[in-house]
């Protein structure tokens, strides 16, 4: 290929908008918790343009010397007020459609995170001190999935991808423990599955599966009586280990097929 032909090809590529262009890198976080038996996602009403006043995931630009995960943890702290780290943080993927932001070319690296069962006082405290949002709330997932609450940018797609990944992980891994407090009952653990999968599970069948899966939970010589309930107190359990691994006996397909 001669030099003139190469230069012509280069001009053609530039004319088609294929030449490299500067862009901004951000992080967006799908932060989940369970409240009153519902899976909820932390959303903010944006205090900045574009999409001023619209609902969105918490997010922001990555600083020049900041690793991506540190940026994600900083955003969780600034917007949700949950320092220094949630119960679990995992990278979901990159989203870089040229039209996803109307003002500039923005590529975001999305994460999903788990905040263990938060105390009721957390939800009455208002906006985090460093938040730039107008308002923030843990919103029930059905409000988002039904389309009744519309999200800015491509955040509905990011939420859908995160939920699909988390629901699948509950089938085969010990992720459910990350939604629980350090000491929990089997009923609390079951509530995680029911909230994330959006379905009721048979209590006896669920407990049998949990106890048959080596390395999932370990018993304590402690019991707790549920508030306002009669009967025997429920035994408390802890994670068998501090890690995050595969279940010995997966719950494979339960939420997809509608049965426990």
């Amino acid at each position: 290929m001669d030099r003139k032909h190469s230069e012509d090809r280069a001009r053609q590529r530039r004319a088609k908008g294929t030449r490299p262009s500067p862009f901004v890198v951000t992080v967006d976080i799908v932060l989940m918790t369970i409240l009153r038996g519902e899976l909820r996602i932390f959303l903010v009403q944006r205090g900045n343009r574009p999409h001023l006043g619209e609902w969105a995931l918490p997010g922001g630009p990555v600083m020049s010397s900041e690793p991506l995960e540190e940026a994600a943890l900083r955003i969780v702290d600034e917007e949700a007020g949950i320092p220094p780290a949630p119960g679990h943080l995992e990278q979901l993927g990159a989203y870089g459609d040229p039209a996803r932001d109307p003002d500039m070319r923005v590529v975001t690296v999305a994460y999903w995170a788990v905040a263990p069962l938060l105390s009721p006082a957390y939800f009455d405290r208002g906006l985090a001190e460093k938040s730039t949002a107008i308002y923030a709330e843990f919103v029930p997932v059905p409000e988002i999935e039904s389309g009744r609450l519309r999200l800015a940018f491509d955040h509905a797609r990011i939420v859908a991808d995160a939920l699909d990944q988390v629901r699948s992980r509950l089938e085969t891994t010990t992720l459910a423990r990350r939604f629980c407090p350090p000491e929990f009952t089997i009923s609390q653990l079951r509530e995680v599955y029911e909230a994330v999968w959006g379905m009721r599970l048979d209590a006896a069948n669920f407990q049998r599966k949990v106890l048959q899966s080596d390395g999932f939970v370990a018993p304590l010589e402690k019991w707790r009586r549920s508030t306002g309930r009669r009967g025997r107190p429920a035994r408390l359990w802890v994670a068998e280990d501090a890690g995050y691994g595969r279940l010995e006996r997966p719950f494979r397909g339960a939420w997809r097929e509608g049965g426990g």
Side-chain angles (χ1 to χ4, degrees):
M1 184 182 294
D2 58 32
R3 180 178 177 181
K4 182 178 185 305
H5 187 58
S6 298
E7 290 175 349
D8 289 343
R9 290 288 297 275
R11 281 194 293 272
Q12 290 173 3
R13 286 196 297 270
R14 287 195 294 271
K16 293 179 181 178
T18 58
R19 58 184 175 182
S21 61
F23 60 88
V24 174
V25 178
T26 64
V27 290
D28 287 308
I29 318 297
V30 184
L31 177 63
M32 309 179 199
T33 195
I34 293 173
L35 175 66
R36 300 187 185 95
E38 288 184 307
L39 178 65
R40 302 191 180 207
I41 291 176
F42 186 80
L43 297 179
V44 299
Q45 281 187 295
R46 288 177 54 79
N48 299 320
R49 298 185 184 277
H51 300 292
L52 176 66
E54 295 184 27
W55 287 100
L57 294 169
V62 179
M63 303 304 176
S64 59
S65 61
E66 189 177 39
L68 288 171
E69 186 168 312
E70 286 187 15
L73 292 173
R74 173 176 56 80
I75 293 296
V76 170
D77 181 11
E78 291 178 353
E79 298 293 342
I82 303 178
H88 185 79
L89 178 74
E90 187 168 328
Q91 190 176 124
L92 177 64
Y95 297 78
D97 188 294
R100 66 181 304 273
D101 189 304
D103 286 353
M104 65 183 77
R105 182 71 194 274
V106 177
V107 175
T108 194
V109 179
Y111 285 80
W112 59 267
V114 173
L117 296 168
L118 298 171
S119 68
Y122 172 85
F123 298 95
D124 297 328
R125 90 223 187 297
L127 287 170
E129 184 178 345
K130 299 177 183 178
S131 177
T132 60
I134 299 170
Y135 180 72
E137 182 180 339
F138 271 98
V139 176
V141 164
E143 290 292 311
I144 304 168
E145 291 191 305
S146 68
R148 291 191 294 270
L149 191 151
R150 299 183 59 128
L151 302 185
F153 306 107
D154 53 359
H155 289 184
R157 177 190 168 194
I158 295 174
V159 167
D161 290 348
L163 288 171
D164 187 62
Q165 189 167 114
V166 170
R167 286 165 176 159
S168 297
R169 292 287 175 83
L170 252 63
E171 294 180 8
T172 58
T173 74
T174 61
L175 174 64
R177 302 185 312 198
R178 300 297 177 93
F179 283 90
C180 294
E183 299 178 0
F184 52 86
T185 65
I186 295 295
S187 293
Q188 284 180 301
L189 187 65
R190 188 179 75 251
E191 184 181 78
V192 172
Y193 283 87
E194 292 180 337
V196 174
W197 286 346
M199 58 182 290
R200 300 291 294 177
L201 298 175
D202 179 78
N205 189 32
F206 176 83
Q207 180 162 320
R208 183 171 62 254
K209 285 185 176 182
V210 168
L211 299 185
Q212 287 176 345
S213 189
D214 293 340
F216 194 8
V217 296
L220 295 174
E221 292 303 313
K222 297 170 68 175
W223 285 260
R224 177 189 299 157
R225 186 180 298 278
S226 298
T227 304
R229 294 186 181 180
R230 298 180 179 180
R232 293 186 303 173
R235 187 167 201 163
L236 290 174
W237 302 75
V238 293
E240 180 111 354
D241 55 64
Y244 165 57
R246 298 190 68 81
L247 284 173
E248 187 74 20
R249 291 176 177 267
F251 290 81
R252 203 179 301 278
W255 68 278
R256 302 179 195 275
E257 299 166 7

